[in-house]
Amino acid sequence: MVSQLIFGILLLAALALVTRNARVIIRNIRMGRDEKRNDQPAKRLKTMLLVAFGQKKMFKRPFAALLHLFVYLGFCIINIEMLEIVIDGLFGTHRIFAGAGAFYAFLIGAFEWLAFSVLAGCVIFLARRNIARVRRFFGKEMTPWPRTDANLILVAEILLMVAFLTMNAADYKLQSLGAPHYTPGGSFPISSWLLPLLPDGAMALISIERFCWWFHIVGVLLFLNYLPYSKHLHILLAFPNTYFSNLKPQGRFTNMGKVTNEVKAMLDPSYTPEPSDASAHFGAKDVQDLTWKNLLEAYTCTECGRCTAVCPANITGKLLSPRKIMMDTRDRMVEVGENARKNNGFQDDGKALLGDYITREELWACTTCNACVEACPVNINPLEIIVEMRRYLVMEESGAPSSLNAMFGNVENNGAPWKYAQADRANWREG
Amino acid sequence: MAEMVAKGEAPDILFWVGCAGSFDERAQRITRDICKILQHVGMKYAILGTEESCTGDPAKRAGNEFLFQMQAMANIQVLDGYEIKSIVTACPHCFNTLKNEYPALGGHYTVIHHTQLIQQLIDEGKLKAEGGESFKGRRITYHDPCYLGRGNGIYEAPRKALESLDAQLVEMKRCRSNGLCCGAGGAQLFKEPENGDKDIHVERIEEALETQPEIVAAACPFCMTMLRDGVKAKEKEQEVQVLDIAEITARANGL
C-alpha cells in the first residue's frame, strides 16, 4: 500500500513536471514569427511517416541508421511495457497482463530481444563517440556539455535496459522457485542468460527484482524530465518537425512580402500597400525575428552533425557549421524565453543571436548549397536562418562584404553582377 | 525578341541567356552551342538581348531582397510585355529563380533548364548524337549543380544526355543529392572565400579527378568557372576538359 502511494505520487509529480516543461517549450517556440505550414495535410502526413517514423533520411549512412533503428524500435516498443508497469505500480498487482498467456509470453520475449538490441546499439554508439571518435561528433560547437549530454543519454538507456533485463531475470527465477505473488508468465530469451549470476535465495531475488523495477520506472520518469534540457527531445519533436516540413523545392527562398509592398510602392506611387505584420525590421537579428518553425527546428536538433559533415564551407575549414547555427538558436531561444518569464515580457539584455552567438564570418561562408538541409534526418533547415540573418545584415546594417556591395551596385546599374555595359549583353552572338 | 515582335512572330520558347552566358567568355561558348542545338532541331526561339537583366539571384542569396525584387519585377514586366509563356535557361541559378521565386511576384512561366530540353529532344528523337565527335567509351564524370540537383531535384536529365552518347559515365563519391557544391553558390562567386584551409573548388576537383575522367561535365556557368579553376590549380588542363552538357551534345551532333 505504501509503495503504491509512493508510486502514485512519483508518477503525478513526474507528469506535472513534464507538463510544465512542455509549456515552456511551446511558449518559447511561439516567440517566433507566424508562418503557414498547414496546407496539404496528406502530403505532410506522408512526409512525417516516411522521414520521422520510417527514418528514410537516416539511411544515407546505413550503419548508423541500422543501429539507430534498433534503439528507436526498442525504445518505442518497450514503452508498451510501461503501461503494465504503471498499472502494477498503482494497483500493487504483478504482471497484470500475464493472463494473456502465449501472447503475453510472445510480447515479453520480443521486448527482451528489443531491449538487447537497444543495449547493443547504445554500447556501439558510445564506442563510436568515445573510442572511434567519429569526426562529426566533434567540432567547435561540441563543447563539453553537448558531448556529456550525448553520453549521459546513452548511459541512461543502457542502465534502463540492464535494469529491465535483470528485473526479468529475477522474476523468472522467482517464478520457477514458485514464490508467491510471482505467478508464472512471460518468456525470457535474453534475461535467462543472467540466471547464473543471480543468488538462489527468494528474499535476495525479491530485493533485486523490486530494486530493478523501481530503478527502471524512476529512471524512465527522470529521463522524461531530462529530455527538455537535452538534445534528446528529437524523439518527440521529430514528428511535428517533419509534419511541418517545407514542401516547396529547396532552391526556393522565401519571398519577403514586406519588401514586395515597398518595391511596388516605389514602382507605382499610387499603390496602397496591403497591411503586413509590422515587425520592426527586415531579416533576423534575434530569435523573435525567426519563424516558429525555425525555433521548433532548434529544439528538434539532436546534434548528430550530418549537416556539418556535408557542409562545403565546414569541410574546407571555414568557421561555418550548420549544426552550430541550430544549437546557437536553441541556446539563445532558451535564454530569451527565460528572460521573458522572469521579467514578464522580454527585457533587452544587450545581446542578440546575431553577433553574440552567430558571427558574420560564419554567415558569409555559406554557399546556400542546401547540403545541410538535404542531410538532416528530421528535415531541419539551417539555411533559412542563415539567409534571414544575411537579410538583416544587408538591409538593416548595410553590412555585406565590400565585394558583395560592389556586386549589388553592378546588378543595380548594369543589370549584371559584373561591371559590363548592358548594351554589350548580346555581343556573344559575334563570337 | 523585339525583332520577332516587329515581324509579328511569336517564339516557341524564350532562351534566357543569363549574365554569365552573356558576358563570361567561357560561358558565351555554351550560349552559342545552345543556339546551335535550337537551330539544329528547328525550334523557334528568341532572346531578350539588351532587354534581359540579372534575375536577381545573387542579390537574393546574399540577403538583398530589395534589389532582388526590383530586378524581378522589372524582368516580369518585360517578359509579360512579350507574353512569354515558356523559358529555357542555361544557368541553374536563373532557372531556380525564374521557376520558383518569380511566381510569388506575379511572374508565371514554364521554365526548363537546357539539360532538360536536351533530354526531351533526345527522347523525341530530334537529337541523335550523330555526325559529330564520338564520345563512345570516354570517361565522363558529371558534377551536379546545387540549384539544379538538390534545389530542384533534377538529377537524371543531364545524365540521360550523357548516356545517349555511349560514354562511360563515372560517378564521384559525392553525387546526386549528396553532391558537393563547387563553391560558387550563395553569391560566393562574387567575393573572396572566408578563411579556411582549402578552397571548395579544389576539394571538389580532387574528388572529380579520383574518377580519372577525360571530361568533367558541368551544367552551370558558375560551376564551369570553379571547376576550371580547380583543374588549373591541379595543373591538369592537358588531361582533363571541363565541358557543359550543351557543348558535349553540340559536338556529338557535329554542330
Side-chain angles (χ1 to χ4, degrees), chain A residues 92-122:
Chain A
T93 49
H94 185 72
R95 294 194 181 264
I96 181 96
F97 298 143
F103 183 60
Y104 184 75
F106 165 77
L107 273 184
I108 296 293
F111 293 159
E112 290 225 335
W113 277 107
L114 286 166
F116 179 70
S117 70
V118 173
L119 197 61
C122 288

Side-chain angles (χ1 to χ4, degrees), chain A residues 60 250-251 253-256 260 316 318 364-369 371 390-391 394 403 415 422 425 428 431, chain B residues 19 32 49-50 52-54 60-62 65 69 96 101 147 150-151 177-178 185-186 188 191 194 197-198:
Chain A
K60 281 209 170 188
Q250 283 174 9
F253 286 14
T254 53
N255 188 61
M256 294 179 74
T260 311
T316 55
K318 278 91 180 168
W364 290 118
C366 176
T367 69
T368 71
C369 75
R390 280 187 177 184
R391 286 171 171 173
V394 170
S403 46
Q422 180 68 3
R425 191 174 264 273
W428 54 268
Chain B
C19 300
R32 289 193 288 267
T50 55
E52 187 185 288
S53 186
C54 174
K60 185 161 179 107
R61 308 305 137 196
E65 183 76 7
Q69 292 199 11
N96 176 67
E101 292 168 349
Y147 278 85
R150 274 189 297 272
S177 65
N178 300 327
Q188 295 293 342
K191 62 184 265 298
E194 274 59 35
D197 40 49
K198 201 176 191 179

Side-chain angles (χ1 to χ4, degrees), chain B residues 19 26 88 94 97 102 127 144 151 164 187 210 231 240 242 248 250:
Chain B
C19 300
R26 181 66 188 79
V88 59
C94 297
T97 309
Y102 276 30
L127 272 177
D144 286 280
S164 76
E210 274 171 30
V231 171
V240 182
V242 186
I248 297 173

Side-chain angles (χ1 to χ4, degrees), chain B residues 5-235:
Chain B
V5 171
K7 280 190 265 172
E9 293 175 32
D12 299 329
I13 200 160
L14 178 85
F15 175 23
W16 184 277
V17 180
C19 300
S22 300
F23 296 117
D24 180 272
E25 272 182 45
R26 181 66 188 79
Q28 285 177 345
R29 282 163 43 193
I30 306 169
T31 307
R32 289 193 288 267
D33 278 347
I34 292 175
C35 291
K36 284 179 196 162
I37 294 169
L38 290 167
Q39 282 155 11
H40 176 67
V41 299
M43 267 183 107
K44 212 156 114 189
Y45 72 97
I47 58 164
L48 287 176
T50 55
E51 287 182 281
E52 187 185 288
S53 186
C54 174
T55 57
D57 163 82
K60 185 161 179 107
R61 308 305 137 196
N64 196 335
E65 183 76 7
F66 266 106
L67 182 53
F68 161 71
Q69 292 199 11
M70 294 289 286
Q71 288 297 118
M73 287 192 196
N75 283 325
I76 290 169
Q77 255 176 10
V78 174
L79 290 166
D80 287 351
Y82 288 124
E83 293 176 7
I84 299 297
K85 297 281 178 293
S86 58
I87 301 174
V88 59
T89 169
C91 172
H93 297 266
C94 297
F95 166 73
N96 176 67
T97 309
L98 292 167
K99 176 174 171 282
N100 295 322
E101 292 168 349
Y102 276 30
L105 299 168
H108 301 275
Y109 319 103
T110 309
V111 188
I112 59 170
H113 184 252
H114 71 275
T115 56
Q116 291 177 294
L117 180 67
I118 290 171
Q119 191 215 333
Q120 273 174 30
L121 293 171
I122 291 170
D123 289 349
E124 290 165 9
K126 290 181 181 161
L127 272 177
K128 292 209 172 75
E130 287 169 352
E133 198 178 325
S134 169
F135 286 87
K136 193 166 190 257
R138 290 167 73 177
R139 286 178 79 85
I140 304 182
T141 191
Y142 170 67
H143 164 83
D144 286 280
C146 304
Y147 278 85
L148 199 59
R150 274 189 297 272
N152 287 287
I154 297 164
Y155 301 109
E156 296 310 324
R159 288 182 169 80
K160 291 248 172 72
L162 292 173
E163 279 162 11
S164 76
L165 307 176
D166 271 341
Q168 193 188 346
L169 196 54
V170 277
E171 293 289 358
M172 286 182 251
K173 227 163 77 197
R174 288 172 282 194
C175 63
R176 290 196 162 85
S177 65
N178 300 327
L180 182 75
C181 173
C182 69
Q188 295 293 342
L189 187 69
F190 308 101
K191 62 184 265 298
E192 287 302 312
E194 274 59 35
N195 283 330
D197 40 49
K198 201 176 191 179
D199 280 325
I200 296 172
H201 62 274
V202 173
E203 168 86 12
R204 185 51 165 171
I205 211 69
E206 283 173 356
E207 190 176 2
L209 292 177
E210 274 171 30
T211 67
Q212 304 192 310
E214 209 179 307
I215 296 166
V216 177
C220 166
F222 292 178
C223 297
M224 171 62 75
T225 304
M226 300 308 271
L227 294 172
R228 286 181 75 227
D229 282 355
V231 171
K232 257 182 242 160
K234 290 276 153 191
E235 296 179 351

Side-chain angles (χ1 to χ4, degrees), chain A residues 314-342:
Chain A
N314 191 275
I315 289 170
T316 55
K318 278 91 180 168
L319 269 186
L320 176 64
S321 162
R323 169 174 56 192
K324 179 176 175 292
I325 301 287
M326 301 318 297
M327 291 169 71
D328 285 343
T329 303
R330 184 186 54 210
D331 290 348
R332 176 61 181 160
M333 162 174 57
V334 170
E335 186 178 55
V336 170
E338 205 54 39
N339 175 319
R341 237 178 337 279
K342 276 192 190 133

Side-chain angles (χ1 to χ4, degrees), chain A residues 120-135:
Chain A
C122 288
V123 169
I124 299 172
F125 277 153
L126 268 181
R128 277 162 62 84
R129 278 181 186 269
N130 301 292
I131 300 167
R133 299 178 76 83
V134 173
R135 196 168 167 261

